[in-house]
Every structure is written in C-alpha cells, then in structure tokens.
Amino acid sequence: MSGFHRSLGLWDATMLVAGSMIGSGIFIVSAGMMRDLGSPAWLLVAWVVAGVLTVLAALSYGELASMMPKAGGQFVYLERAYGRLTAFLYGWTAFTVITSGIIAAVAVAFAKFSAVFFPVLSPDNVLFDLGFVKVSAAQVYAVSAILLLTWFNTRGVESSKTFTTVFTTAKIAALLALIVVGLAVGMGTDVLATNFTDGWRAATHHADGTLSPLTGAALLSALGVAMVGSLFSSDGWNSITFIAGEVKEPQRNIPRSLALGTFIVTLLYVLANITYLSLLPSEGVMHAEADRVGTAAAEVIMGSASVSVMAILIMVSTFGCINSYVLTGPRMYYAMAQEGLFFKQAGTLSVKGVPSWALWVQCAWSCVLCFSGTYGDLLDYATFASLLFYIVTIAGIFILRKREPAAPRPYKAFGYPLVPALYIVCALGFCLNLLVFKPAFTFGSLVIVGLGAVVYLVTMRTRPSA
C-alpha cells in the first residue's frame, strides 16, 4: 500500500476527539477532587479551568495540524520545531507510558465494570500466582479486549471510523441523558442550594478524618493537585492529529474537530458535575463507594438499577475510549519508523492501508502493562508527561512563526500570541506545583523521559553509518 486513504470527514474527526477524551474518569475522579478541595464551588472551578486549558491547547494545535496534515501528529510537529531528539522523547514516552499505559488502564477499568454482570471477572479473582506476578481474571479479560480491538483495527480505517462514531455518539447521548434527567430531579430538591450555602469554603479532607483549611497559596496548590483528575479525564483530545493522513481536507477539518470535540466534552463534564452536586451532598460526592460518583448520583434517580445502568454506560465509554487509542497510536509509530526512530516494520502499511505491524507492537506492550499491575501509576505519569509535551509542542508555534514566517498556515492559532502563551504559563504553573507537592508523581514521568534520551543516544551511536 503506497499511502493512507483520506476517508474521515469533520463529523468522524470530531467523534474521534470526543471519543478519546470520554472514558471512565468523569464518573469517578470527582470524589478524589472533592476530598482535595472540600468545596463544591472549587470542584467546579477545577473542571472549568481544566476544560478551558484543554480548549486553549486545541485552538493552538490547529495551526500545527494545518501546517503538517500528515500521519504522526505531535511527533511530526516536535521534529519540525525542535529536531529528532525531542520528537523521539515524545514518541518514546507515548509508546511506553502515555498511549499504551492508558490503553492498559482503561481496559482494566472496562473489566472491573464488566464484573458487575460477570463477578468471575473481578480483579480479586486471581487465576494463578507466579510469585513475581499475580494474574487475575480482570487482567485476562482486559487483554482480550485489547486483542479484539487491535484485530478489528487491522481490518481498515473505514470499520474503525464507523465503530468510533457509533460508540462515541452512544456515550455522549447516555451522558447527556444522565445530565438532563439528573438536573430535572435535582432541581426539584434543595441539595444544590445546600451545597452552595458555604460552597467556597475549601479544606483538604485527609484519610484520618482531619481537615486542613485552604486559603491563598495553599488553596491554589490544592486546586492544582485536584486538577490532575480533571486533566486526565480531558486528555486524548489531540488523537485526531495522529491520524491526519486519513482525514479529508485536513487543513480545515482537523482544527475544527479539535475545537468542536474539546468544547463538547468540556461542556458535558461541567454539566455532569453540576448534576452530581444537585443530586448528592458534598459528603456524598466525597465518600461515594469506590469513588463511583456517577453511580451514586444515578442511584438517586433510579434506585438499585443504577449500578447496572452505570456499569453499562461506563463499559460503552471505556470500550470506545480503548478503540480510539488503539486506532491513533500506531500512526505515530508509523511516522517514527519513517524517520528511522522506531522498528522498521512499523513504517509499512498493510493491504488494508493501516500500520498493522505497529498495531500489534502496541498491543503487545499494552498487554504487558495490563499484567504489570502498575497501570495506576502509569496513568499518573502519563498525565504529567502529556502536559509537559503539550507545553513544548505549543511553544513550537512561536519557534516556527519566527523560523518559517512564509510557511503556509491555512489555520492560524486563535488569539496568537496571547492564547498559546496563556496556556503555556498556566500549564507550567500546574507542572511546577506538582513538582513541589507531588514529587513521586512527577519523578516517575521525568525518569521515563530521561530513559528515552539514553535509548536515543545509544541507538544513534550503534546505528550503522549510511
């Protein structure tokens, strides 16, 4: 096959952006965020700020996408702005942690919620213990889901496009239904008004039951820590850039899909949290069983049936999310291989016009991560690493504007230079806050990136001369 076939329109691209963003996070992370902040108002602020940052990043990315509308996305942008080393570091981190780690973690989440209907799939059901690793039914089921979706994506982008559109439409419709019905029920009570009686008083709730009141710099720091949850739930928005080689009229459709997809999901996320606060008291959000805030809210509407209904919704949501990452990641490995920075075979396309070899390599590593039991940590690392590379990539807009002023830019970053600069400043502040207050969380990310530099240098030294 000589190249990718452009078959994705604006709607398909928008659904891919939204589908990559909506996983299980929106139904779970608000509980931990509320414990960090102890305030309904500040909880909403954390979601709004994360959403605004995501939209700002998407509006900025549009310029790079319109300049370089080909497979590889962020890897291609980084290589053009900074060179091969920086681009490789991103590709390395995406393969080892960001993309593969999210696939593994979301697949295990899919298995956990499937266990609502099939208890045998519980993570507690250990099939065998090898001493150095325990293999549970949930892990085996998660691996099966990854294998199935990888095989499905080798069948061609047309099938993947239809699958993504159907699943994303279904989960948006289901989430919207929860919001509409939840607000209709909640507004008939005084729960929301009670939550906001003293809604701006913030305090971190510790596991031992003690409280730490939050004001000034301490409040801003706690807000930054809490936003890990909302930013993780909003990640994946740049997925469409990896598959740019298969988008019709990419100079126009990719910037539009980035803006539309991120705006739709941000709006849904904020409304979902308002729904939670209209149905549950602050304590109910904070101490939802197993952090399943979505299920606790749905229980107010439909009683005991909520567990099954929400399990189905999250299963649909996570399964669709896995597919989006399975679909997009290998396009970047394809671009890396074309530059001699990944396995050579990953730079080839099958007769179906897809990078099948890259798909199966990603599948193999994601499955290893499922069995590693470290996917929770990998998600933490992925969020911080993603943000670091978003900062570097958006800074590349300034570099390319100066270095290549005459380069065609069918779409120019909205509000340049203020909007990209605002994102960089805010995201840098967030990262510095985590470096200070969550060093273990950030150190793992930096170690993985550093290992990438070692791998790159060793590879370049051992590579035969042309």
Side-chain angles (χ1 to χ4, degrees):
M1 188 81 181
S2 59
F4 290 110
H5 174 59
R6 296 192 182 277
S7 60
L8 279 71
L10 176 60
W11 176 251
D12 304 314
T14 302
M15 289 298 97
L16 180 58
V17 173
S20 299
M21 293 174 70
I22 304 174
S24 59
I26 183 57
F27 307 107
I28 297 171
V29 300
S30 291
M33 294 170 67
M34 181 66 91
R35 289 193 293 272
D36 287 333
L37 295 167
S39 158
W42 285 108
L43 172 67
L44 292 181
V45 168
W47 281 99
V48 170
V49 171
V52 169
L53 281 176
T54 301
V55 173
L56 291 180
L59 291 172
S60 300
Y61 254 61
E63 176 169 321
L64 298 170
S66 71
M67 287 178 68
M68 296 163 267
K70 57 183 181 178
Q74 199 167 347
F75 169 82
V76 175
Y77 313 154
L78 288 168
E79 184 178 34
R80 185 158 167 180
Y82 299 97
R84 291 162 63 87
L85 174 58
T86 303
F88 176 81
L89 290 179
Y90 173 70
W92 159 269
T93 308
F95 176 72
T96 56
V97 175
I98 299 175
T99 304
S100 300
I102 289 175
I103 289 171
V106 177
V108 172
F110 171 70
K112 287 181 179 178
F113 283 94
S114 298
V116 171
F117 303 100
F118 308 102
V120 70
L121 298 176
S122 169
D124 297 327
N125 180 16
V126 177
L127 300 179
F128 49 90
D129 186 346
L130 300 178
F132 62 93
V133 64
K134 293 181 180 180
V135 177
S136 70
Q139 290 170 317
V140 173
Y141 187 68
V143 166
S144 300
I146 296 171
L147 288 168
L148 174 63
L149 287 172
T150 299
W151 171 82
F152 184 79
N153 276 276
T154 64
R155 309 308 298 164
V157 74
E158 286 288 341
S159 299
S160 301
K161 173 183 74 174
T162 302
F163 183 95
T164 298
T165 300
V166 168
F167 266 73
T168 302
T169 302
K171 58 187 177 183
I172 288 176
L175 184 54
L176 191 58
L178 174 66
I179 291 168
V180 171
V181 176
L183 288 176
V185 172
M187 292 307 174
T189 70
D190 61 354
V191 174
L192 187 64
T194 301
N195 278 334
F196 280 86
T197 300
D198 200 11
W200 290 99
R201 179 174 293 178
T204 297
H205 290 241
H206 302 291
D208 60 4
T210 59
L211 302 179
S212 297
L214 298 169
T215 57
L219 174 57
L220 289 178
S221 295
L223 181 66
V225 171
M227 279 175 55
V228 170
S230 50
L231 284 170
F232 161 69
S233 300
S234 301
D235 205 5
W237 54 268
N238 63 331
S239 56
I240 187 60
T241 65
F242 298 123
I243 200 169
E246 291 149 280
V247 177
K248 301 174 184 175
E249 300 180 68
Q251 292 90 343
R252 180 174 70 104
N253 286 333
I254 292 179
R256 288 184 178 183
S257 66
L258 284 167
L260 284 171
T262 53
F263 177 77
I264 289 169
V265 175
T266 294
L267 182 61
L268 286 172
Y269 281 1
V270 174
L271 289 174
N273 278 276
I274 294 173
T275 303
Y276 298 156
L277 293 171
S278 71
L279 294 169
L280 301 168
S282 297
E283 292 290 326
V285 174
M286 196 181 304
H287 300 300
E289 183 179 356
D291 285 353
R292 295 174 184 173
V293 182
T295 302
E299 190 171 5
V300 177
I301 303 171
M302 60 189 93
S304 59
S306 64
V307 175
S308 297
V309 171
M310 286 303 299
I312 292 172
L313 171 54
I314 296 175
M315 286 171 65
V316 170
S317 185
T318 50
F319 199 65
C321 184
I322 298 166
N323 182 70
S324 296
Y325 278 95
V326 168
L327 167 66
T328 57
R331 271 67 179 178
M332 179 177 59
Y333 314 140
Y334 169 88
M336 292 176 68
Q338 293 283 307
E339 297 297 319
L341 296 175
F342 201 69
F343 300 111
K344 182 179 179 180
Q345 297 93 322
T348 60
L349 299 180
S350 70
V351 293
K352 296 285 187 179
V354 298
S356 293
W357 204 90
L359 275 161
W360 287 115
V361 170
Q362 175 183 261
C363 173
W365 181 241
S366 298
C367 290
V368 169
L369 294 181
C370 281
F371 290 120
S372 72
T374 61
Y375 29 79
D377 293 335
L378 288 170
L379 277 186
D380 288 343
Y381 302 156
T383 303
F384 184 74
S386 290
L387 206 62
L388 283 178
F389 281 108
Y390 289 151
I391 292 168
V392 174
T393 305
I394 291 175
I397 297 173
F398 294 88
I399 293 172
L400 293 174
R401 284 277 187 117
K402 183 176 181 179
R403 185 195 303 158
E404 304 177 26
R409 290 175 172 83
Y411 168 87
K412 293 188 176 180
F414 176 81
Y416 179 90
L418 293 179
V419 168
L422 179 61
Y423 175 84
I424 291 171
V425 170
C426 291
L428 272 175
F430 176 81
C431 288
L432 289 173
N433 181 65
L434 288 180
L435 280 169
V436 174
F437 292 97
K438 275 200 166 186
F441 173 88
T442 53
F443 182 70
S445 291
L446 297 176
V447 167
I448 291 167
V449 174
L451 284 174
V454 174
V455 171
Y456 177 83
L457 293 173
V458 170
T459 302
M460 291 300 103
R461 284 184 174 226
T462 57
R463 177 187 254 174
S465 301

